[in-house]
Amino acid sequence: MNWLILIIAGLFEVGFTTCLGMAKQSKGTTANLWYAGFFLSLTLSMVLLNKATQTLPLGTAYGVWTGVGAVGTALIGIILFKEPADFWRLFFIFTLIASIIGLKVVSPH
């Protein structure tokens, strides 16, 4: 269950980075709403990360949390913000995903 909580925490990390990107492109009330989404996502991400680290090793949990966030943010950047999607960028995104899976496989149950 805490692995699921950890992945959700990583998805909220993607949420707060996406909100920052959207706020940067917005003005006025719209930007303020994106900043509110940033703070909400940041808070939920930290609360869920804290919950997951109560039973998962801290180093593993942090590695997975940042990995999910990095992969998700890179993919959002490619899809939403039209960032480059060249071979090497996609290759290293794949290696991050493989590393996250590897941490799950070798972690004590």
Side-chain angles (χ1 to χ4, degrees):
M1 181 62 165
N2 279 330
W3 279 96
L4 179 61
I5 290 170
L6 183 59
I7 290 171
I8 293 169
L11 293 175
F12 276 112
E13 183 182 5
V14 175
F16 72 71
T17 57
T18 303
C19 287
L20 277 178
M22 296 302 288
K24 206 166 77 171
Q25 295 179 354
S26 304
K27 296 197 185 314
T29 303
T30 304
N32 290 335
L33 290 172
W34 284 114
Y35 285 123
F38 164 79
F39 286 113
L40 178 63
S41 295
L42 176 65
T43 301
L44 290 170
S45 183
M46 293 298 155
V47 167
L48 293 172
L49 176 61
N50 181 54
K51 172 71 174 144
T53 60
Q54 291 174 4
T55 58
L56 298 173
L58 181 61
T60 300
Y62 184 75
V64 170
W65 178 74
T66 58
V68 168
V71 167
T73 301
L75 293 175
I76 290 294
I78 290 167
I79 295 165
L80 193 61
F81 298 112
K82 307 299 184 227
E83 294 176 0
D86 61 26
F87 171 79
W88 287 111
R89 186 171 183 154
L90 296 175
F91 173 79
F92 287 114
I93 289 171
F94 174 77
T95 61
L96 274 170
I97 294 168
S99 296
I100 293 166
I101 293 169
L103 282 172
K104 168 65 173 133
V105 169
V106 300
S107 292
H109 293 70

